[in-house]
Amino acid sequence: MKFEIVDKKIDDIGADLTLVPVTKEGLSHAWVKDRAVLEKMKFKGEADTVAYLPESGRIYFGIGEGDEGLQDAVAAAVKTVLGTEAKTVAVPLCTVHEVHEAGAKALVDGLMLGAYSFDKYKSKKSEAVLEKVLVSTEALDGQNADAASVQSIVDERTKLAESVNFTRDIINSMPEEVTPVKLAEIASEMAKENGLECNIYDEAYLKKNKMNAFHSVARASTNPPRLIHLAYKPKNAKKKVVLVGKGLTYDSGGLSLKPSDFMVTMKADKSGASAVLGIIRAVASIGLDVEVHVVAGAAENMIGGNAYKPDDVLTSRSGKTIEVRNTDAEGRLVLADCLTFAQEEIKPDLIVDMATLTGACVVAVGEYTTGVMGHNEALKSSMLTAADASGELAATLPFNKYLKKLLKSEVADLSNIGSSRYGGAITAALFLSEFIEEEYKDKWLHLDIAGPAYVEKAWGCNPHGASGAGVRMVVEWLKSL
Ligand code: BES
Ligand code: ZN
Ligand code: ZN
């Protein structure tokens, strides 16, 4: 899908189809040409409703009020476009002139993220007919936005949306294909294409560097683990940030085996790692002035004669010992060592980890929202602000000293699960916090993306399956530093 900015009124652009946004004011806007037909169809322009009129070559779509719903409305409209033979489609800025930036962002997100489909394993592939989107600079209030500024927003947003779709492709790929070794190959190929530094470490490195928590999780699998480290180092970087990603290419639960129904979709347990790869790809292609490192722990949590067991005590890279009480709480073990690696080897200004860490987070905030946790209130709220501006949903979950006590172990420094069935998203984050050095406590954020990373139904501009959750939010946050 290519974009061309056209410095003309929408009515003066000739395209196979024209997308016409309809606000909550209804059909009175000058862009609406087919009032009588639309009224007959009982189309009122409610949010996310679409009316395709083949004869007039127009697709009307309701955008509701405010800008938040715009990306979803555009996504609904583009699905209708994809069902036609149209090669070109024209669309105006769907917001008023003053907020054309939000309009242009939502347009690109809605179109590119909404048009995504994953058919790698289908024998019949969907053919992409739509070639070009002509974006008119005309805004809802009839004023024209500056074409150059729309162009630069669209250019940047296109790169970002490509990175979201890159992340989605990795997550949607099956575990037989995307093993830890393959994930490392994908990372190094992407690094080469984007001029990033890349170091991949194998089992021998994990053993040599006493990353026994990470290594234990990976031990039972015939697919060996990889520690992936990529770096984007622009000149005059304002800050150095490490993004740590959970890359469980499969999570069977290990000996604390998941029930069948809960195991399905666990290919998506690599969503954190896939997201951080997408983020650094976007950051490099946009050319942000922040030094960004990616540390991804790639492993498979499997069963077998060599599997780590409940009752084992693991010594992490930090030296802290961990009593394993449930092998399905494996992500935090991999992340513990990755977080230590990040602090010791990279010495960043800020650390953000991203993980499909707990089902409890999904229970707490629902499927569509990322859980944001950490010790620094201002840092947490900066992430919420970024989420808002990015088109993603996020909410904070609060730490407290009572939940922290639940991680106490009688045999080791701490247990890998909390002793209560409640507050699991927070106890998981508090476990990670034990591996954040004192000087980094206020410089760390944990993002639990277990809900939005992979949803088995389409929602908003997201398809069935992987959404690429976290990519837009964290890129927006990096831009705000
Ligand atoms: N990968 C899962 C968490 C998860 C659950 C992600 C649902 C996406 C959807 C994680 O490794 C896990 O199994 N966590 C356990 C922790 C428990 C054993 C303390 C969980 O959430 O049940
Ligand atoms: Zn698990
Ligand atoms: Zn997991």
Side-chain angles (χ1 to χ4, degrees), residues 246 251 258 266 269 326 328 330 356-359 417 450:
K246 172 178 173 183
D251 180 12
K258 284 183 184 293
M266 280 302 135
D269 216 19
N326 191 316
D328 198 12
E330 84 299 334
T356 46
L357 204 61
T358 64
I417 55 168

Side-chain angles (χ1 to χ4, degrees), residues 395-476:
T396 58
L397 299 177
F399 288 165
N400 66 57
K401 64 180 181 191
Y402 306 108
L403 286 170
K404 184 177 162 178
K405 281 189 194 147
L406 301 179
L407 290 166
K408 269 182 90 173
S409 162
E410 296 297 328
V411 296
D413 296 339
L414 75 164
S415 164
N416 83 324
I417 55 168
S419 55
S420 154
R421 49 190 290 197
Y422 303 115
I426 299 172
T427 49
L430 287 167
F431 177 93
L432 296 180
S433 168
E434 291 296 314
F435 298 88
I436 301 293
E437 295 298 325
E438 217 37 61
E439 60 169 311
Y440 281 106
K441 285 274 197 255
D442 271 344
K443 302 174 178 171
W444 164 70
L445 277 182
H446 162 60
L447 308 181
D448 194 331
I449 56 171
Y454 196 95
V455 181
E456 285 191 291
K457 53 189 178 271
W459 52 292
C461 61
N462 298 296
H464 174 284
S467 67
V471 176
R472 287 184 293 161
M473 169 169 55
V474 173
V475 171
E476 191 76 46

Side-chain angles (χ1 to χ4, degrees), residues 86-255:
K87 284 188 179 154
T88 58
V89 56
V91 60
L93 288 174
C94 302
T95 49
V96 295
H97 176 247
E98 289 91 76
V99 290
H100 76 264
E101 175 165 358
K105 278 165 76 172
L107 255 187
V108 177
D109 286 13
L111 288 163
M112 289 188 63
L113 303 179
Y116 173 89
S117 70
F118 183 76
D119 55 14
K120 196 194 242 179
Y121 307 126
K122 298 246 189 208
S123 34
K124 201 156 166 261
K125 314 283 181 202
S126 63
E127 290 153 42
V129 185
L130 179 63
E131 287 165 4
K132 201 186 252 181
V133 178
L134 303 160
V135 180
S136 158
T137 51
E138 187 181 0
L140 264 176
D141 52 8
Q143 290 196 58
N144 275 41
D146 173 52
S149 102
V150 176
Q151 181 81 57
S152 83
I153 296 159
V154 167
D155 285 348
E156 183 178 311
R157 211 60 190 177
T158 307
K159 290 170 185 155
L160 179 55
E162 278 167 4
S163 295
V164 174
N165 288 338
F166 164 84
T167 293
R168 290 171 168 183
D169 278 343
I170 304 173
I171 299 167
N172 284 326
S173 295
M174 62 171 170
E176 175 69 11
E177 182 183 345
V178 179
T179 60
V181 168
K182 176 70 185 201
L183 188 60
E185 280 168 15
I186 292 169
S188 81
E189 212 170 283
M190 183 275 288
K192 211 183 276 165
E193 283 165 13
N194 290 280
L196 307 175
E197 284 178 23
C198 171
N199 284 293
I200 308 291
Y201 302 101
D202 63 9
E203 269 176 301
Y205 177 93
L206 299 184
K207 277 188 200 157
K208 188 165 162 232
N209 289 278
K210 304 196 161 53
M211 296 172 79
N212 188 43
F214 183 166
H215 185 248
S216 298
V217 170
R219 226 168 51 198
S221 176
T222 51
N223 294 309
R226 290 290 183 268
L227 172 62
I228 301 162
H229 177 197
L230 308 183
Y232 164 71
K233 295 180 173 169
K235 286 200 184 79
N236 311 317
K238 285 189 279 189
K239 284 247 158 63
K240 195 202 296 192
V241 179
V242 189
L243 306 173
V244 178
K246 172 178 173 183
L248 266 287
T249 61
Y250 205 67
D251 180 12
S252 72
L255 289 177

Side-chain angles (χ1 to χ4, degrees), residues 11-25:
D11 290 343
D12 299 334
I13 300 179
D16 295 344
L17 278 176
T18 301
L19 288 177
V20 183
V22 180
T23 66
K24 66 172 195 318
E25 263 87 64

